[in-house]
Amino acid sequence: MSAVVVVAGTLGVSGVAVASLPAKVRMRAELRRRWRTWALAAPVYLGALYLGGAGAFALAAALGVIAAAEYVRMTGQPRTDFAVLAAGAVALPVLAWQAPGVLDLRTAALLLLAAALPSLLSGDSEHGFTRTARTLFALLWIPVALTGLVALGHHTAIAVGLGVALGDVGAWCGGTALGRSGPLARRLSPLSPNKTWAGVVGAAAATALALWAVGAFTPLLWAAVLLGCVCGDLVESMVKRETGVKDAGSWLPGFGGLLDRIDSLLVALLLAMAVTL
């Protein structure tokens, strides 16, 4: 089934459902804001990937630069560290598009050097190691992960994006329906008290359905997308809890910042590349 048909149908059904929610539903306004954001973001994501390599590169680079800015703002790192992340956000996707053969251990060595260089040149003996570790983590988490939008090809990249989107919805539905009592109500991690094993069950069902609907279901890809849905939010929660930040930003209605929206996608793309390339 065409991804466009699946996305349009999902947006249509969910739009009617959200519009029909009674006023007494506590999250009605929040759900409506999220739906409007989805209705704008889905065509941009699909349209960019259907344009081929150039569109995938543009999408990955744009998402990477914005996410890098939010990450640096959260962690309080200097502008030189942002420059490294922004350069990686542009350079890695363009290499995946134009010269994928160079993305190997040589690239990994250059990423390590790039992460350390600002601290080395500034002689930061007090925070240099922490800065380098945070920058190296961010390079893997953001630019390297988003390179998957190019490297995976448009069909798999669309399937992963749709799987993550519906997986988040499935996790919320599963947690709401099954997470009130019993063994499935147990918290998944102290990092995110609202995440329960019931949400994992809901995400597992929703991601499988999404991948099947677009003809991309394989056990390994399903596992990659599911782990992205489950672990991606926890990874960002870990970063936010250490830095004392509630949200990565405030400009994206219903979500906060871009990182708050794509945290699961980043991990899912990394794992999808690991199991398919």
Side-chain angles (χ1 to χ4, degrees):
M1 189 184 301
S2 169
V4 174
V5 174
V6 174
V7 171
T10 302
L11 285 174
V13 171
S14 60
V16 171
V18 169
S20 303
L21 288 173
K24 64 180 181 180
V25 174
R26 181 172 55 89
M27 290 189 63
R28 185 179 71 162
E30 179 76 2
L31 290 173
R32 288 181 173 180
R33 283 195 295 269
R34 291 191 174 198
W35 184 87
R36 287 194 292 268
T37 298
W38 272 119
L40 291 173
V44 173
Y45 186 88
L46 288 177
L49 293 177
Y50 272 123
L51 287 174
F57 156 70
L59 178 64
L63 293 178
V65 171
I66 296 171
E70 291 182 348
Y71 177 84
V72 168
R73 188 162 53 247
M74 280 197 300
T75 56
Q77 291 176 252
R79 292 182 180 180
T80 50
D81 295 343
F82 167 69
V84 170
L85 294 175
V90 175
L92 291 176
V94 81
L95 286 174
W97 173 31
Q98 295 292 336
V102 306
L103 295 177
D104 52 22
L105 288 178
R106 292 170 296 180
T107 308
L110 289 174
L111 290 178
L112 175 59
L113 179 60
L117 206 56
S119 298
L120 294 175
L121 294 180
S122 64
D124 189 350
S125 59
E126 186 175 356
H127 303 292
F129 177 72
T130 299
R131 283 177 56 190
T132 298
R134 285 180 169 178
T135 302
L136 186 60
F137 168 79
L139 282 169
L140 177 63
W141 187 35
I142 299 172
V144 172
L146 288 170
T147 299
L149 294 176
V150 181
L152 289 170
H154 80 276
H155 179 68
T156 302
I158 288 172
V160 171
L162 180 61
V164 168
L166 294 188
D168 286 348
V169 175
W172 182 80
C173 293
T176 301
L178 305 172
R180 300 184 183 279
S181 61
L184 292 179
R186 293 177 57 189
R187 286 191 304 177
L188 188 61
S189 168
L191 288 170
S192 187
N194 293 327
K195 298 291 186 296
T196 64
W197 285 101
V200 176
V201 172
T207 51
L209 179 62
L211 293 175
W212 170 82
V214 295
F217 180 87
T218 67
L220 283 177
L221 186 60
W222 171 67
V225 174
L226 176 58
L227 282 173
C229 289
V230 173
C231 298
D233 181 72
L234 295 178
V235 169
E236 197 201 3
S237 293
M238 177 179 66
V239 175
K240 290 192 292 187
R241 280 182 176 272
E242 181 170 326
T243 57
V245 176
K246 183 179 183 297
D247 292 311
S250 59
W251 64 276
L252 199 60
F255 293 101
L258 179 67
L259 267 176
D260 301 312
R261 176 55 269 163
I262 67 169
D263 50 7
S264 296
L265 177 64
L266 294 174
V267 177
L269 286 171
L270 277 173
L271 294 175
M273 285 191 285
V275 301
T276 62
L277 297 182

